[in-house]
Amino acid sequence: MSEVLTDLVAVLAGGGGVAGGGWSTAQLIGFCGTVGGMLWPFFRSRAGMLLVQLVPCLCFAVHYAMMGAPTASALNGLAALQVVAALAIGARPAFRIVYLAILPVIAAVMAVTWTGLPSVFAAAGMAAISLARYQTRVAPFRGIMLVALPCWFVHNSLVGSVPAMISDVTGIAVNAWMLLRGTGLTLPSPTPTPPAAAAMPPAAGEAKLS
């Protein structure tokens, strides 16, 4: 884990990464996915979040394949198809059956591409994300993503994917903040106190007390 953190500092400083080869193609593709992974939590609509998630799905599918993480690569490719199906759920409730048919494939992909603990955490993260994308309301979507992203963070620390770790940490922080804002648990911004109303002049015919 300490080696991965050292790599993280090195990459952010512009030096060598996990493979020691500087800004490798795998890292550059991974950081393209990181941009999408950092941006999608800021979108307020479910459809907006899902559309932006297509970017990290496709980029990380290639990134993990180049890093020798076959389970994560295959699951991210599957996730891209899942995003398209999840978008259809919002407009066509009957499409849920098609979406649910994707879920058993996660277990099959894990079995075929088995590499030990990384496969376990990748499959667990993908299963939780699948449940999140099945939600049609934003708050449950964000809440379940807070369970899924730590699973992916553990996977990414095991395989040494610095771009994916940055994406995970950002997603966890932003989703937690947006959820707290939605529930009113964050500190409210101070509201200016309206100026005191001017004294009303006495009505006509009303005696003025001296």
Side-chain angles (χ1 to χ4, degrees), residues 82 99 102-103 106 125-135 148:
Q82 191 182 64
Y99 180 88
I102 298 176
L103 300 182
I106 298 174
M126 178 64 179
I129 287 178
S130 300
L131 181 59
R133 290 175 178 150
Y134 189 73
Q135 310 301 313

Side-chain angles (χ1 to χ4, degrees), residues 186-194:
T186 55
L187 292 176
S189 56
T191 55
T193 304

Side-chain angles (χ1 to χ4, degrees), residues 57-58 60-79 109 113 122 152 155:
C57 287
L58 296 173
F60 282 126
V62 178
H63 169 75
Y64 287 131
M66 297 180 71
M67 293 193 63
T71 303
S73 176
L75 289 178
N76 272 270
L78 178 64
V109 169
T113 62
W152 274 110
H155 167 272

